[in-house]
């Protein structure tokens, strides 16, 4: 069976001030063409279909168009909700849509109930594990601790239990939206850290033939059977080095996997430039970036006059301009933002405690801070979904 694995469409999201809806529509067209031209038997979409719980109407219309075009091909599609989606909204009409071959899996309780497709060699069971917010699904999975690893492990127990009841030789595919250890994050994914831990080990998914992951925006191979497709479009300048692709996966009769990367259309190249304004304007090596979307970081000791206007004369698609004068780390003029760069909310809070009290928090106090940040994150998730 030939699968096309994609994820993290983030329909409705902009790239800085650039509306990406046209590029997203072009990707959908490319996806449909790939399905038709490469003999794809099933499409799997591993979450974050939308960029937010209440997407704009134009994004919903594009999603509707994508469903109609995929259904018209007669090729089944299995799709889960991600941490950016409202699972309940995305799942509306799932039963009816399923009759057209579009299988939406948004209910955590149903993770052990597969979509079963068949080829010449027998059945393939597709298990959809939507994003599992630990605090919200703890009771459903009857786990003692609300952690990503515990709820995913419990969900996979249901998958393996169902798979054990099926005919010998039944192959299996799991769709999941999670941060798996060994994956490389970018700046454009929403933090899903719980209790100070974001990642789960790949071993959680042992026992199935292929795991189609979503959440991280870079295409990555965790193991030969566990892969991220990444987002089809860039959503931050940290993705400038990404090659945006989908995975074309062949699942053989014995469950062995071979995979090929299929490139996605790129609306415009990305480039991150750093240096003094005069250097950026004069360097002949930068000619190749003149039509790219640009993130420029100026290192001039004194902020130059009209920097954006001057930059856009050479780089008309400059979208981001930052100032980072070359100074020693202990220079009092180093900005607050620079001092905090790369530090988590937990680390910043612990530093604040140390600053005002003269000593950092002990293990119990660190736990209190961690629980507070988790509670705020869950509350924000609930309020967004309830809108």
């Amino acid at each position: 069976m030939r699968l096309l694995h994609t994820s993290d469409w983030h329909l409705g999201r902009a790239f800085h001030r650039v509306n990406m809806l046209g590029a997203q529509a072009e990707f959908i067209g490319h996806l449909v063409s790939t399905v038709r031209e490469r003999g794809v038997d099933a499409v799997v979409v591993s979450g974050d279909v939308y960029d937010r719980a209440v997407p704009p109407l134009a994004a919903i219309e594009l999603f509707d168009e994508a469903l109609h075009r995929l259904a018209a091909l007669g090729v089944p599609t299995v799709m889960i909700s991600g941490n950016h989606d409202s699972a309940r909204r995305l799942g509306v009409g799932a039963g009816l849509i399923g009759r057209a071959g579009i299988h939406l899996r948004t209910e955590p309780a149903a993770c052990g109930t597969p979509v079963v497709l068949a080829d010449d060699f027998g059945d393939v069971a597709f298990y959809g594990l939507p994003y599992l917010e630990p605090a919200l699904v703890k009771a459903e999975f009857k786990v003692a601790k609300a952690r990503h690893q515990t709820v995913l492990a419990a969900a996979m127990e249901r998958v393996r239990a169902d798979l054990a009841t099926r005919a010998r030789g039944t192959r299996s595919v799991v769709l999941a939206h999670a941060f798996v250890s060994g994956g490389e994050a970018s700046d454009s994914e929403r933090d899903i850290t719980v209790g100070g831990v974001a990642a789960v080990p790949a071993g959680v998914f042992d026992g199935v033939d292929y795991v189609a992951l979503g959440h991280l925006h870079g295409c990555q191979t965790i193991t030969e059977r566990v892969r991220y497709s990444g987002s089809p479009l860039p959503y931050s300048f940290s993705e400038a080095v990404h090659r945006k692709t989908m995975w074309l996966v062949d699942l053989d009769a014995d469950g062995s996997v071979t995979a090929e990367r299929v490139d996605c259309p790129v609306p415009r190249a990305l480039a991150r430039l750093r240096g003094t304004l005069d250097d950026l304007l004069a360097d002949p090596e930068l000619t190749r970036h003149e039509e790219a979307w640009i993130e420029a970081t100026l290192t001039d000791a004194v902020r130059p006059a009209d920097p954006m206007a001057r930059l856009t004369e050479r780089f008309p698609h400059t979208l981001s301009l930052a100032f980072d004068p070359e100074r020693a780390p202990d220079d009092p003029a180093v900005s607050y933002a620079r001092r905090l760069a790369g530090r988590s909310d937990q680390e910043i809070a612990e530093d604040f405690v140390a600053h005002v009290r003269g000593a950092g928090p002990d293990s119990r106090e660190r736990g209190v801070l961690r629980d507070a940040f988790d509670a705020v994150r869950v509350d924000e998730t609930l309020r967004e979904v309830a809108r």
Side-chain angles (χ1 to χ4, degrees):
M1 184 172 287
R2 173 163 285 187
L3 317 176
L4 188 63
H5 167 199
T6 177
S7 72
D8 295 273
W9 295 356
H10 289 278
L11 300 181
R13 186 166 184 163
F15 182 71
H16 290 263
R17 62 178 180 270
V18 177
N19 186 321
M20 296 291 278
L21 203 64
Q24 291 169 340
E26 185 178 357
F27 161 70
I28 295 298
H30 171 68
L31 170 71
V32 171
S33 296
T34 301
V35 172
R36 183 174 55 246
E37 295 167 6
R38 300 297 301 270
V40 171
D41 300 305
V43 177
V44 294
V45 186
S46 300
D48 282 353
V49 174
Y50 292 120
D51 188 55
R52 55 182 185 267
V54 186
L57 179 59
I60 297 173
E61 290 172 341
L62 180 55
F63 179 59
D64 181 63
E65 178 188 341
L67 295 188
H68 277 84
R69 294 178 71 178
L70 287 168
L73 292 174
V75 174
T77 297
V78 185
M79 185 177 297
I80 62 172
S81 50
N83 62 302
H84 280 250
D85 299 309
S86 165
R88 293 180 64 183
R89 284 188 174 86
L90 187 64
V92 169
L96 184 61
I97 295 171
R99 298 180 186 178
I102 309 292
H103 305 280
L104 299 173
R105 290 295 183 263
T106 63
E107 291 292 336
C111 65
T113 304
V115 176
V116 180
L117 305 177
D119 63 11
D120 293 341
F121 304 104
D123 288 345
V124 180
F126 291 76
Y127 298 90
L129 277 58
Y131 172 67
L132 302 176
E133 173 58 57
L136 303 184
V137 301
K138 176 183 174 183
E140 167 64 34
F141 291 106
K142 298 179 176 60
V143 296
K145 292 184 178 181
R147 298 288 184 265
H148 287 299
Q149 182 170 346
T150 54
V151 296
L152 272 170
M156 283 302 300
E157 286 178 7
R158 295 188 184 185
V159 168
R160 284 186 281 265
D162 178 85
L163 192 56
T165 68
R166 300 196 172 269
R168 182 179 179 85
T170 298
R171 289 154 292 161
S172 54
V173 176
V174 166
L175 290 73
H177 197 86
F179 190 163
V180 175
S181 299
E184 183 177 344
S186 64
D187 293 341
S188 53
E189 299 112 3
R190 181 181 294 169
D191 184 26
I192 59 171
T193 300
V194 175
V197 178
V200 300
V204 164
F205 299 105
D206 285 350
V208 297
D209 294 309
Y210 184 71
V211 181
L213 293 175
H215 180 58
L216 299 184
H217 287 185
C219 182
Q220 301 170 59
T221 300
I222 305 301
T223 72
E224 287 304 305
R225 295 185 182 275
V226 181
R227 299 171 187 262
Y228 282 99
S229 67
S231 62
L233 294 166
Y235 294 112
S236 73
F237 277 102
S238 65
E239 300 171 55
V241 297
H242 288 184
R243 174 187 164 199
K244 294 301 183 182
T245 60
M246 302 177 286
W247 283 113
L248 192 66
V249 177
D250 286 320
L251 188 62
D252 292 339
D254 62 355
S256 60
V257 169
T258 55
E260 172 192 346
R261 293 177 72 177
V262 178
D263 289 292
C264 295
V266 177
R268 192 176 296 277
L270 274 60
R272 309 180 92 171
L273 308 182
R274 181 182 179 88
T276 66
L277 180 58
D278 287 343
D279 286 346
L280 296 186
L281 295 178
D283 189 349
E285 291 294 320
L286 301 182
T287 301
R288 57 196 172 96
H289 297 309
E290 288 180 351
E291 294 303 316
W293 280 324
I294 298 294
E295 177 191 70
T297 301
L298 301 184
T299 59
D300 300 75
V302 176
R303 186 172 301 207
D306 299 322
M308 181 60 90
R310 293 168 65 188
L311 270 173
T312 53
E313 287 181 6
R314 182 179 188 188
F315 305 104
H317 305 288
T318 301
L319 300 182
S320 176
L321 177 61
F323 297 91
D324 188 16
E326 298 289 358
R327 295 190 176 104
D330 57 352
D331 189 321
V334 172
S335 72
Y336 181 68
R338 183 174 174 185
R339 293 199 301 272
L340 297 185
R343 300 182 68 75
S344 67
D345 291 342
Q346 176 88 14
E347 291 169 330
I348 293 168
E350 290 180 12
D351 287 350
F352 176 76
V353 171
H355 174 72
V356 298
R357 193 172 67 181
D362 59 26
S363 59
R364 182 188 65 81
E365 292 167 333
R366 283 195 295 272
V368 170
L369 288 170
R370 199 161 44 239
D371 291 344
F373 283 119
D374 287 349
V376 169
R377 185 181 50 77
V378 171
D379 181 64
E380 288 177 345
T381 300
L382 288 172
R383 285 190 286 110
E384 184 175 354
V385 170
R387 286 172 56 193

